[in-house]
Amino acid sequence: MAARHRVEGGSWKPRTPSEEENMAHVIELWTDAANQGASEEGVQQACPLCRTLLPPGPEQLFEDAACLYVRMAAGHYRAAEGSWKPLTNFEEKNMAHVVELWTNAAKQGHIRAKHNLGTIYYYGSGVAQDYKKAVQWTRKAADQGFADAQYILGNIYFDGDGVSQDYNEAVQWYQKAADQGDPGAQYDLGNMYRDGKGVAQDYKKAVQWTRKAADQGFADAQYNLGTMCRDGKGVAQDYKKALQWYRKAADQGLAIAQCSLGNKYFTGEWLSYRAL
């Protein structure tokens, strides 16, 4: 449209009704982009009517980075803590671009971008492990109510990675994530009540939260719940239920559950419950 108008001090000559409609559309698109906090960096899209280039929104930045990251991650062996084998020079450049895109998206309020930045710095996945940056970004996502970030932040305080170890703080973040149904947080919250870390020891609450995670198929929780039923802590002692939960965990490949079952059958201790 601008090419059709003579500019004098920035003003245009009167627009036609069609141009008025198109200009209204331009303003609408720019307003939507501005409301997303879009920057001038990243992949640009164009207005389908006027082809005016629009700044990318945070979701576009996040997706572009995610696609690049997933392709790299697929080519790396994962160690126990999520670390990668050494990157090539080409991969280092790509990873720097991933961090740049996720950082731009995070600065515009994108929760998953904040969480992903926290996660890669926490585990050292494609970047140098940096607990301080992990805490910084994970807390931002956790403060916005993102359950995965809340759970990881609980782990950070439990282990004292980049922060002073604080079981009370760990419990608070586990609780937030557990209330949203995160099975890992429910499992760890159950452990905190069982062990009396950050909370008063309470076997009944330990069973309550462990069961929530076990019911979602969390193998470690199924094993722990089996042990609670075996020992009668927080729940009536019940070898039948203990066997059932051990078997569920063992069927998922949990080695300690498989070993416990094998030992019980070997000694003949639970043979009477075998058919259950």
Side-chain angles (χ1 to χ4, degrees), residues 139-150:
R139 186 184 299 280
K140 288 178 183 292
D143 284 340
Q144 288 184 253
F146 196 64
D148 288 347
Q150 292 170 337

Side-chain angles (χ1 to χ4, degrees), residues 152-182:
I152 289 181
L153 195 55
N155 289 336
I156 287 173
Y157 276 104
F158 182 87
D159 294 327
D161 293 329
V163 296
S164 298
Q165 189 178 54
D166 189 331
Y167 291 145
N168 292 328
E169 191 75 12
V171 166
Q172 291 180 32
W173 289 110
Y174 285 154
Q175 185 73 64
K176 290 177 184 292
D179 286 340
Q180 295 193 64
D182 187 286

Side-chain angles (χ1 to χ4, degrees), residues 26-101:
V26 169
I27 292 173
E28 178 185 1
L29 289 170
W30 276 346
T31 300
D32 288 343
N35 287 337
Q36 296 181 56
S39 69
E40 295 181 356
E41 300 176 3
V43 180
Q44 290 183 298
Q45 296 179 341
C47 167
L49 293 180
C50 64
R51 309 312 301 168
T52 300
L53 292 176
L54 301 175
E59 187 63 31
Q60 183 65 56
L61 295 172
F62 173 81
E63 292 295 341
D64 288 348
C67 289
L68 187 57
Y69 179 82
V70 168
R71 287 199 297 270
M72 284 193 295
H76 282 265
Y77 300 111
R78 298 299 186 87
E81 293 300 319
S83 59
W84 293 8
K85 61 184 180 181
L87 301 181
T88 65
N89 291 337
F90 179 72
E91 288 174 327
E92 286 183 354
K93 291 180 180 179
N94 282 344
M95 195 63 208
H97 188 50
V98 167
V99 171
E100 179 186 9
L101 290 174

Side-chain angles (χ1 to χ4, degrees), residues 8-269:
E8 295 179 355
S11 61
W12 288 15
K13 62 185 179 181
R15 293 185 290 270
T16 66
S18 176
E19 289 174 330
E20 289 282 0
E21 182 178 348
N22 286 343
M23 194 62 201
H25 181 58
V26 169
I27 292 173
E28 178 185 1
L29 289 170
W30 276 346
T31 300
D32 288 343
N35 287 337
Q36 296 181 56
S39 69
E40 295 181 356
E41 300 176 3
V43 180
Q44 290 183 298
Q45 296 179 341
C47 167
L49 293 180
C50 64
R51 309 312 301 168
T52 300
L53 292 176
L54 301 175
E59 187 63 31
Q60 183 65 56
L61 295 172
F62 173 81
E63 292 295 341
D64 288 348
C67 289
L68 187 57
Y69 179 82
V70 168
R71 287 199 297 270
M72 284 193 295
H76 282 265
Y77 300 111
R78 298 299 186 87
E81 293 300 319
S83 59
W84 293 8
K85 61 184 180 181
L87 301 181
T88 65
N89 291 337
F90 179 72
E91 288 174 327
E92 286 183 354
K93 291 180 180 179
N94 282 344
M95 195 63 208
H97 188 50
V98 167
V99 171
E100 179 186 9
L101 290 174
W102 274 342
T103 299
N104 288 338
K107 288 179 178 179
Q108 296 174 40
H110 198 286
I111 298 177
R112 286 183 295 160
K114 296 175 184 179
H115 169 64
N116 283 8
L117 284 169
T119 300
I120 63 174
Y121 282 120
Y122 183 63
Y123 291 113
S125 300
V127 295
Q129 192 173 51
D130 189 325
Y131 287 137
K132 289 185 177 180
K133 288 183 178 180
V135 172
Q136 171 193 346
W137 286 113
T138 301
R139 186 184 299 280
K140 288 178 183 292
D143 284 340
Q144 288 184 253
F146 196 64
D148 288 347
Q150 292 170 337
Y151 176 47
I152 289 181
L153 195 55
N155 289 336
I156 287 173
Y157 276 104
F158 182 87
D159 294 327
D161 293 329
V163 296
S164 298
Q165 189 178 54
D166 189 331
Y167 291 145
N168 292 328
E169 191 75 12
V171 166
Q172 291 180 32
W173 289 110
Y174 285 154
Q175 185 73 64
K176 290 177 184 292
D179 286 340
Q180 295 193 64
D182 187 286
Q186 292 170 341
Y187 165 73
D188 280 324
L189 187 58
N191 289 342
M192 299 299 267
Y193 277 111
R194 180 197 64 196
D195 299 334
K197 291 183 176 179
V199 291
Q201 191 173 54
D202 189 325
Y203 289 124
K204 288 186 177 180
K205 286 187 177 179
V207 169
Q208 171 192 342
W209 285 109
T210 303
R211 187 184 301 278
K212 287 179 182 292
D215 286 340
Q216 293 194 66
F218 200 79
D220 289 302
Q222 292 171 338
Y223 173 76
N224 278 12
L225 189 56
T227 301
M228 292 169 175
C229 291
R230 181 197 68 190
D231 297 339
K233 289 189 174 181
V235 64
Q237 190 174 54
D238 191 325
Y239 291 129
K240 294 179 183 178
K241 288 184 178 179
L243 177 59
Q244 291 170 358
W245 285 114
Y246 278 165
R247 182 174 291 158
K248 286 178 182 291
D251 286 345
Q252 293 195 67
L254 188 66
I256 191 172
Q258 294 169 336
C259 184
S260 294
L261 276 179
N263 289 340
K264 296 299 181 183
Y265 287 140
F266 179 77
T267 60
E269 185 177 348

